[in-house]
Amino acid sequence: MSTARPPEGARAVQVGVVMGSSSDWDTMQHAVAILQEFGVPHEAQVVSAHRMPDDMFAYASAAAGRGLKAIIAGAGGAAHLPGMLAAKTPVPVLGVPVPSRHLQGVDSLHSIVQMPKGIPVATFAIGAAGAANAALFAVAMLASEQPALRARLEAYRARQTQAARDMTLPPAGAGA
């Protein structure tokens, strides 16, 4: 699975979204949706740590030279992808545990969050919320040097705040 690169003259890709399998797309599409909402140039593709390690190492080794500012890596089960990418690139890696069939992603979470000292991976929640938050984190990283992006992020957060303020609760005793 791969999304198209920007057309000629477009801004260079800033964030890579990679996953170990096309079955991870159900989760990782939430990261891509956030990056699209903010207009962040990105790419998305399958880069399996176990089934295509040479491709994974090539992706990681080339990331900084291609101008990537962050890599959002989703993986399930043994979840080696984020850590192995982090071991081969200075580009920040944001790990998203993908829910697994048997352990619901807890195995993935433990695999990603337990990196040895010296090889950090920022780890997010299991599933769709983690993917969206990893993308929002990448947006925040980029926004520190891009005032227009910072303004869009601040507006997004203001909408989140207003949505929470607009929430109402049912009357006490209703439904009890």
Side-chain angles (χ1 to χ4, degrees), residues 5 8 10 24 44 50 56-58 67 74 79 81 83 99 105 107 113 119 124 134 137 141 158 161 165 170:
R5 285 208 157 82
E8 280 299 315
D24 298 339
H50 298 114
M56 177 198 59
F57 286 140
L81 181 61
D107 50 344
V113 79
I119 307 294
F124 292 83
F137 191 88
M141 288 172 47
T161 298
R165 286 183 179 142

Side-chain angles (χ1 to χ4, degrees), residues 11-30:
R11 294 183 298 158
V13 171
Q14 295 179 317
V15 177
V17 179
V18 295
M19 59 214 79
S21 171
S22 61
S23 64
D24 298 339
W25 180 246
D26 285 345
T27 296
M28 299 307 293
Q29 68 180 326
H30 299 280

